[in-house]
Amino acid sequence: MQKQQDDPRAAMTGRTVHEAAPHWPRRPRPKADAPNIVWVVLDDCGFAQLGCYGASTETPAIDALASRGLRYTNFHVTAMCSPTRTCLLTGRNHHAAGMGYLADFDTGFDNARGAISPRAATLAEMLREAGYGTYALGKWHLVPPAECSPVGPFDNWPTQRGFNRYYGFLGGEDDQWAPELWYDQHHVPPPQREGYHLSEDLVDRAQEFLSDHLSATPDNPFFLYLAFGACHAPHQAPQSFLDKYRGRFDAGWDAERDKVLARQKQMGIVPPDTALAPRNPGVRAWDTLSADERRLVARMQEVFAGFTEHTDAQIGRLVEFLQKRDKLRDTLFVVLSDNGASGEGGEFGSVNEYRYFLGLPDSLEENLAEIDKLGGPWTHNHYPAAWAQAGNTPLKFYKKYTFGGGVRAPLIVHWPAALGEAGLRTQFHHAIDLVPTMLDLAGVPAPAVYRGVEQLPVHGTSIAYSFTDPEAASTRETQYFEMGGQRGIYHRGWKAVTHHRSGDDYDADRWELYDLQSDYSETVDRAADEPERLREMIALWWREAEAFHVMPLDDRAQARAFARDPATNGRLHFRLYPGTRLLTPVTGPNFALRPFRIRARIDRAATSEEGVLLAYGRRAAGFSLFIQHNRLCFDYNLAGRHTVVSADGALPTGAHVLGCEVTIEKDGARAVLTLDDQPLASAVLPMAFPAGFGLLSTQCGLNSPSPVSDRYEAPFRFEGTLDRVDIELGQANGEAIAGLWEAAVRSQ
């Protein structure tokens, strides 16, 4: 047998294979003891919303990981989801990596492209090059809307950013009962089974991916990135989990904050002298609420708690899977949240948060009427802001803010093979520190050049030193924060922070100063007694901002929505074919605050042939043009409030053009149904179609994953012959584009 040569040139020597030495290139491998890596990323889970951080909610699976691992009490993230996920996956600060704000907007500046820069290779890309199997599931939200298309470009989808396989949803949130799912790079319907729930599906698919990996490449380590839609609204879970918490929160949010803080002190999560931050602006004292108000908002918190525990149960299933396959010991298992709890539910929450997205008024009476449906398939609910503050105990404010309630997050690390004694870790660290930690432990260097592109340096620092030494000094001394003009800076135990308002002069912002070593919850402003320190901190913020490409600062609210690539604007005519699904108002039609006309060319052999011709949206909101019982119908669903236009006369068989025209009138709008361009029926609509439906899709010839109208079941595919559907859009006013901004911000 001829000996294999390491030099590939050796394979070229000799005139025949009998004279030449064969060569096979070496496959990449990380170091011998490189761990498997699992990251579980929770969404909008506040600092105090897990049992092991003091919550009343039961999270036994996460608590068990914490009891055998490490809990970090000084771990920080950015204040919103896309930026934090960018930090987590690249190890670079989010502005430098191109995600200064949300994936929903490319503002034309390199610090806010709505996508991760090719100069910032992801952990998945780096580990895959070293021989890891890489798998992503769940929420992505790192693709700009112009690329959320069934035909790409796919450059910023998970499968093009280092993950071998992907299963999940692309936007900021999704319906847990009927999500808009993508498998690798193609759309798939949710599995058709009784009681389907997204969190369960994600863990099922994670087990499938890992089973394939362990069967095909058992000697290779894996990196699994599991990003639940939970605990982001809509808060939805099986009824048994919701019922478990009945009556648990009847004492209200003020009492809950006191109970949680007492537990945190007992656990050592916070220092014994920690004070509760004052109520956030707009949060009422519990005892000022009426009996009906208390009944409603207590139920909303019960639903949130049930949703959280249901998510924990799925994490438990994944842990059990790894344990049964003897992989848990050698797996570095991380659980964290992307930002603080969400205060976007307002004073009383909502049974349908699309009302909030769309700026529609909500009412206590409407919400009470739906109270028993909360958490189920027919609601899209969000709890009040006051419960979010309780979920951030003892901190103030919420996600989007650079105060503790927005940026201090739970972090749990479990790794039986290598961790020291289980317990708490108090070192200051940030989301950018996890990538260098994983690279350090895997023995994988960050490349200076990746795919021909010179790379940014990794900005984070490994936290591995803290795994075995709880008393070690923090290796991270400084970290800036910025989110939509909100600013903050941490340096050696001190924090300076502003509450900036859009349009205000940055130089006129009032900076607050906190000594986090003695004031965990940022309640004692030291700006007046430490003016020199504050000046130094502000100057440091500007230096860090310059170094990490935070400029130009962008605090625009609605105006940011106008800053869109001109190449993505202005299309007024769309032709859709049966089965087409266009995801966003950038790649698909934007119906907001403008007139529009729909014309469907059909051919029916029998009057019994029915189904959807065109639909936009889902159960929570949208509209649908469909044939049912041989009548043409249009259901205009404004966040659960339906206006249905139905033609009186029966439809003829054969080839015809069926349509609907929506016109905007002085005090609202009108819908006219047509047959061969002749009016069949019309009705007044309560308002022009509002802006802000985000990643709801336009679907031709069917309506899925859930029905816009309660008159049929999804997908209600059209049974006749549908040649095409043409959509003509009128001109929109500025409010339509501005509404996209408002809704995107609200839905994060």
Side-chain angles (χ1 to χ4, degrees):
M1 179 180 291
Q2 294 171 314
K3 184 179 179 182
Q4 177 179 338
Q5 302 292 317
D6 288 335
D7 184 354
R9 291 171 298 179
M12 302 300 293
T13 61
R15 296 174 60 193
T16 71
V17 294
H18 303 293
E19 299 168 342
H23 166 76
W24 291 271
R26 291 181 177 176
R27 294 180 180 272
R29 287 283 300 164
K31 67 179 186 177
D33 60 349
N36 301 309
I37 298 169
V38 172
W39 282 4
V40 173
V41 182
L42 301 173
D43 199 342
D44 286 6
C45 180
F47 181 74
Q49 288 181 321
L50 302 176
C52 54
Y53 280 82
S56 296
T57 304
E58 296 176 30
T59 52
I62 295 174
D63 295 355
L65 293 170
S67 70
R68 299 187 298 263
L70 307 177
R71 276 172 295 167
Y72 286 77
T73 63
N74 206 2
F75 179 71
H76 289 72
V77 292
T78 78
M80 292 184 81
C81 56
S82 300
T84 290
R85 291 158 200 269
T86 296
C87 293
L88 286 174
L89 286 170
T90 70
R92 283 88 167 187
N93 282 304
H94 59 111
H95 295 89
M99 195 71 70
Y101 204 66
L102 298 173
D104 303 74
F105 303 103
D106 175 356
T107 65
F109 297 101
D110 285 343
N111 68 354
R113 287 293 181 190
I116 296 174
S117 168
R119 298 187 63 213
T122 68
L123 178 63
E125 288 172 319
M126 293 184 270
L127 291 181
R128 187 169 68 177
E129 291 289 312
Y132 270 75
T134 55
Y135 312 101
L137 301 109
K139 175 172 173 173
W140 185 240
H141 206 201
L142 297 170
V143 183
E147 298 178 17
C148 290
S149 160
V151 296
F154 299 112
D155 305 51
N156 292 298
W157 288 45
T159 49
Q160 299 293 336
R161 294 310 310 248
F163 289 102
N164 293 331
R165 299 173 77 177
Y166 170 66
Y167 181 82
F169 60 99
L170 296 176
E173 67 157 64
D174 218 313
D175 188 315
Q176 300 292 311
W177 300 111
E180 191 92 59
L181 291 173
W182 297 83
Y183 197 144
D184 295 334
Q185 294 174 179
H186 62 277
H187 183 270
V188 292
Q192 296 300 304
R193 61 171 179 254
E194 187 71 24
Y196 170 89
H197 192 282
L198 175 59
S199 296
E200 298 171 10
D201 188 17
L202 293 178
V203 172
D204 290 347
R205 198 69 66 173
Q207 293 176 351
E208 175 190 314
F209 287 178
L210 292 183
S211 292
D212 289 346
H213 175 94
L214 295 174
S215 298
T217 55
D219 297 329
N220 289 14
F222 57 79
F223 170 40
L224 180 77
Y225 175 79
L226 173 56
F228 285 101
C231 299
H232 196 296
H235 303 153
Q236 299 167 321
Q239 194 64 42
S240 60
F241 284 87
L242 310 185
D243 291 343
K244 178 176 180 177
Y245 287 92
R246 288 290 174 90
R248 292 268 195 106
F249 301 101
D250 286 354
W253 44 63
D254 293 327
E256 186 64 19
R257 291 181 76 207
D258 290 335
K259 287 191 292 187
V260 170
L261 179 58
R263 290 192 203 106
Q264 290 176 328
K265 290 179 178 179
Q266 184 179 20
M267 292 174 169
I269 298 292
V270 302
D273 59 350
T274 299
L276 271 181
R279 289 191 194 91
N280 292 334
V283 170
R284 289 170 55 186
W286 180 261
D287 59 14
T288 67
L289 272 61
S290 70
D292 278 345
E293 290 169 343
R294 292 183 189 183
R295 183 164 65 93
L296 174 67
V297 299
R299 179 69 59 83
M300 289 179 168
Q301 174 64 6
E302 293 166 10
V303 169
F304 177 82
F307 186 28
T308 304
E309 184 174 345
H310 177 257
T311 309
D312 176 83
Q314 309 321 307
I315 295 170
R317 290 176 54 222
L318 179 60
V319 170
E320 183 181 12
F321 172 90
L322 294 170
Q323 204 159 21
K324 284 184 175 179
R325 283 148 186 80
D326 198 26
K327 291 298 178 183
L328 186 61
R329 173 177 170 76
D330 298 318
T331 296
L332 178 56
F333 199 113
V334 176
V335 180
L336 72 154
S337 177
D338 62 351
N339 46 243
S342 165
E344 294 148 326
E347 187 174 10
F348 294 115
S350 178
V351 299
N352 189 326
E353 65 166 343
Y354 274 95
R355 295 174 189 167
Y356 172 66
F357 299 167
L358 303 172
L360 301 174
D362 221 331
S363 74
L364 176 65
E365 293 73 24
E366 279 185 295
N367 287 341
L368 279 171
E370 303 289 320
I371 190 170
D372 291 329
K373 296 180 182 178
L374 287 170
W378 290 97
T379 57
H380 205 85
N381 45 290
H382 196 308
Y383 62 4
W387 284 120
Q389 182 170 20
N392 287 331
T393 300
L395 310 167
K396 60 185 175 186
F397 289 103
Y398 323 98
K399 73 185 251 191
K400 302 182 183 176
Y401 293 90
T402 52
F403 290 89
V407 299
R408 196 185 286 256
L411 171 68
I412 296 154
V413 177
H414 178 273
W415 188 20
L419 289 185
E421 186 177 347
L424 302 174
R425 295 295 185 267
T426 60
Q427 293 90 350
F428 178 93
H429 278 288
H430 187 269
I432 59 174
D433 296 330
L434 290 186
V435 161
T437 305
M438 305 302 132
L439 295 178
D440 178 12
L441 298 172
V444 175
V449 176
Y450 182 73
R451 291 183 178 174
V453 179
E454 184 177 348
Q455 295 292 288
L456 295 167
V458 172
H459 300 145
T461 180
S462 173
I463 70 171
Y465 72 94
S466 68
F467 287 179
T468 55
D469 187 356
E471 304 303 323
S474 175
T475 58
R476 173 161 295 287
E477 294 188 338
T478 305
Q479 178 62 43
Y480 82 91
F481 300 92
E482 193 278 337
M483 194 60 58
Q486 309 273 351
R487 293 176 289 163
I489 182 85
Y490 169 89
H491 184 64
R492 296 180 181 175
W494 289 79
K495 181 179 177 182
V497 62
T498 68
H499 181 186
H500 178 81
R501 297 183 186 278
S502 178
D504 286 357
D505 181 355
Y506 290 105
D507 292 329
D509 281 346
R510 180 181 176 276
W511 286 82
E512 301 169 31
L513 180 67
Y514 298 102
D515 179 2
L516 297 186
Q517 299 165 98
S518 62
D519 181 17
Y520 190 93
S521 50
E522 303 173 19
T523 58
V524 181
D525 184 2
R526 300 287 300 280
D529 25 301
E530 291 270 5
E532 182 55 33
R533 184 187 298 274
L534 180 59
R535 280 193 290 271
E536 292 173 356
M537 294 281 282
I538 295 171
L540 178 60
W541 187 90
W542 284 105
R543 291 197 298 273
E544 293 290 292
E546 185 69 36
F548 295 112
H549 310 287
V550 179
M551 271 71 81
L553 281 169
D554 191 350
D555 67 348
R556 291 175 295 178
Q558 294 180 349
R560 191 190 295 250
F562 291 90
R564 180 170 287 160
D565 181 351
T568 67
N569 289 332
R571 185 177 174 190
L572 299 178
H573 176 254
F574 292 81
R575 176 164 289 177
L576 279 62
Y577 297 97
T580 298
R581 181 181 302 268
L582 297 180
L583 253 190
T584 75
V586 176
T587 59
N590 179 4
F591 299 101
L593 297 177
R594 66 171 87 212
F596 58 88
R597 186 185 189 195
I598 302 165
R599 300 175 81 245
R601 294 185 178 274
I602 69 162
D603 194 342
R604 293 193 307 156
T607 58
S608 59
E609 293 177 341
E610 58 184 17
V612 171
L613 303 176
L614 185 83
Y616 176 62
R618 56 175 14 136
R619 183 181 290 131
F623 65 76
S624 178
L625 179 65
F626 58 97
I627 299 172
Q628 190 175 52
H629 306 312
N630 204 31
R631 299 290 192 274
L632 183 62
C633 305
F634 182 67
D635 192 328
Y636 199 63
N637 177 356
L638 287 178
R641 297 162 179 155
H642 295 260
T643 302
V644 179
V645 188
S646 182
D648 293 331
L651 291 173
T653 57
H656 296 280
V657 178
L658 300 181
C660 179
E661 185 169 0
V662 173
T663 57
I664 297 177
E665 301 180 345
K666 183 177 181 181
D667 297 320
R670 176 175 291 275
V672 179
L673 301 181
T674 60
L675 169 65
D676 296 327
D677 296 328
Q678 299 302 308
L680 283 177
S682 70
V684 173
L685 304 176
M687 60 184 295
F689 204 70
F693 282 87
L695 283 184
L696 294 187
S697 61
T698 303
Q699 308 131 49
C700 182
L702 75 164
N703 183 198
S704 71
S706 65
V708 166
S709 177
D710 56 11
R711 296 191 169 201
Y712 56 79
E713 296 293 327
F716 201 38
R717 196 179 300 273
F718 182 60
E719 298 166 328
T721 299
L722 176 60
D723 178 59
R724 65 180 187 265
V725 175
D726 289 297
I727 301 169
E728 296 287 346
L729 302 176
Q731 292 293 336
N733 58 33
E735 293 178 15
I737 302 173
L740 294 176
W741 154 263
E742 295 290 351
V745 171
R746 289 166 174 163
S747 63
Q748 307 314 309

